[in-house]
Amino acid sequence: MTLGIGIIGAGPVTQAIHLPAVAGLSDRLRVAHVMDVDAATAAAVAARAGAAYSTTVEELLADPAVDLVAVCSPHQFHAEQAEAACRAGKRGVLVEKPLATTLDEARAIAEASRDSGVPVVVGAMHTYDPAWLAAERAWGDLPETVRRVRSRIVLPPNARFESAATQLHTDPVFPARSGGPAAAIRGAILGLAIHNLPLVRRFLPEIESVDLVRPLQPFGYVLTMRGGGRTAELIGYLHGGWRPEWTFEAWGDEGELRLDFTPSYVRAGSATAELRTGAGTRLFGPYPDNGYAGEWRHLAAVATGAEPVRYGTADVVADLAYALNLADRAAALLLQGATA
């Protein structure tokens, strides 16, 4: 059975990531409808997939060829559009991260999902990476024994990957950042750090304090936090020329874990994972698919009843609450330093 996907928002992520990912799963998925407020962009992107197009969410949701909905619009529209997709009775919804901009919005999405029975998946691609899932099956009690966690995301600007992955119909237009350092650090956490935060939360479930926040120019951060006797260091930096590095590491009393991810726009297979315990070292990956293929494969399986939802609404709401908590604490620490 091939499921039709309706994509809300035809920007760079849709063009350079989701269209290629879905094309690689043509035995079970196809893009059926593309919606964008810019009619020319919607038409051009839809033509690449042989899909219908429109300029309103209502038209997309009314299309009987749409079984699954992908919400790839700007963050502030996620909640309203995800709720509408649930109420329309579609078979599943994928929402790009972050799930919403507030906890109340996230809870409203979760309520709409429960009431309608329509599953909602968040596009946190690393939690669907085959190497992460393989390591998870093998690591035993490592999450309970970890003492230190580190997440590093050091990449060129997205535009460099976008131009290599596809020819964008139009260059994206982003509003100028405003609001000072506190707003910038919130944006960096909810726009960049959030990719790895579900992984961090698995090993440091509760944030008790944020002890260091340092913004990096032109875009990035260094921060440290603590909770439950554990510490975490998060580094994110979009730069002009350094070698890409996207890693997650966790160290415990009796084991350690390291994952090396490929950049988001690179369809080069999964991460590689190295798990060291007293029993020896185990390596996982690289596997042929990355986390983007993994999340689409999983949503298709959920929609057809072949698999249960891997991360339920309580999990994805908790992930957003964690990210918002970190963003709020980091912004407050910066403001405290500015006024001291």
Side-chain angles (χ1 to χ4, degrees):
M1 178 181 184
T2 303
L3 299 172
I5 300 169
I7 301 180
I8 300 174
V13 170
T14 290
Q15 295 178 48
I17 293 178
H18 288 302
L19 258 60
V22 172
L25 299 169
S26 59
D27 61 323
R28 68 198 72 191
L29 295 168
R30 68 181 184 90
V31 176
H33 196 127
V34 175
M35 173 268 159
D36 198 275
V37 293
D38 182 286
T41 298
V45 175
R48 297 181 186 181
Y53 75 93
S54 64
T55 57
T56 69
V57 173
E58 290 77 14
E59 289 176 88
L60 180 144
L61 294 179
D63 187 343
V66 173
D67 302 300
L68 306 174
V69 175
V71 178
C72 302
S73 54
H75 302 169
Q76 66 267 29
F77 303 115
H78 286 188
E80 178 184 353
Q81 293 168 352
E83 289 181 63
C86 288
R87 295 193 190 100
K90 298 303 179 180
R91 301 182 67 163
V93 181
L94 184 146
V95 183
E96 265 298 345
K97 57 204 162 297
L99 172 64
T101 58
T102 70
L103 200 50
D104 284 344
E105 288 180 347
R107 288 170 176 153
I109 295 172
E111 182 178 356
S113 175
R114 287 193 298 269
D115 290 348
S116 64
V118 177
V120 174
V121 166
V122 176
M125 71 285 193
H126 288 168
T127 61
Y128 293 93
D129 189 287
W132 166 264
L133 295 174
E136 181 182 46
R137 290 190 291 269
W139 67 40
D141 65 353
L142 184 63
E144 288 73 44
T145 62
V146 156
R147 301 296 180 191
R148 184 164 176 259
V149 175
R150 180 168 64 194
S151 168
R152 290 173 57 89
I153 307 173
V154 181
L155 299 169
N158 284 350
R160 185 175 302 180
F161 289 119
E162 291 161 1
S163 62
T166 190
Q167 183 176 355
L168 293 180
H169 172 65
T170 56
D171 292 330
V173 177
F174 299 106
R177 296 190 183 100
S178 60
I185 201 69
R186 281 185 59 86
I189 290 170
L190 296 176
L192 185 60
I194 199 166
H195 290 82
N196 272 9
L197 287 182
L199 282 59
V200 174
R201 187 171 81 88
R202 186 66 180 271
F203 291 91
L204 196 155
E206 300 293 335
I207 303 172
E208 294 173 1
S209 67
V210 174
D211 304 313
L212 169 70
V213 180
R214 182 178 301 159
L216 300 178
Q217 298 298 328
F219 184 79
Y221 54 85
V222 175
L223 65 87
T224 61
M225 59 186 185
R226 290 183 293 169
R230 308 170 187 199
T231 63
E233 177 187 36
L234 278 62
I235 300 170
Y237 185 41
L238 299 185
H239 60 88
W242 291 2
R243 183 180 64 184
E245 180 183 350
W246 198 320
T247 58
F248 174 82
E249 298 168 279
W251 294 270
D253 295 335
E254 299 178 357
E256 62 183 75
L257 173 69
R258 177 186 172 103
L259 287 107
D260 287 86
F261 295 98
T262 58
S264 299
Y265 293 88
V266 178
R267 297 188 70 225
S270 76
T272 57
E274 182 177 348
L275 176 65
R276 294 178 179 270
T277 66
T281 299
R282 299 183 65 181
L283 303 177
F284 305 95
Y287 302 99
D289 286 338
N290 62 14
Y292 286 108
E295 66 193 21
W296 277 116
R297 194 186 298 275
H298 176 61
L299 185 57
V302 170
T304 56
E307 292 180 9
V309 175
R310 186 173 295 142
Y311 305 104
T313 54
D315 294 312
V316 297
V317 171
D319 279 343
L320 181 67
Y322 191 91
L324 291 172
N325 183 17
L326 176 59
D328 289 343
R329 287 175 179 269
L333 187 59
L334 273 184
L335 288 174
Q336 178 183 343
T339 58

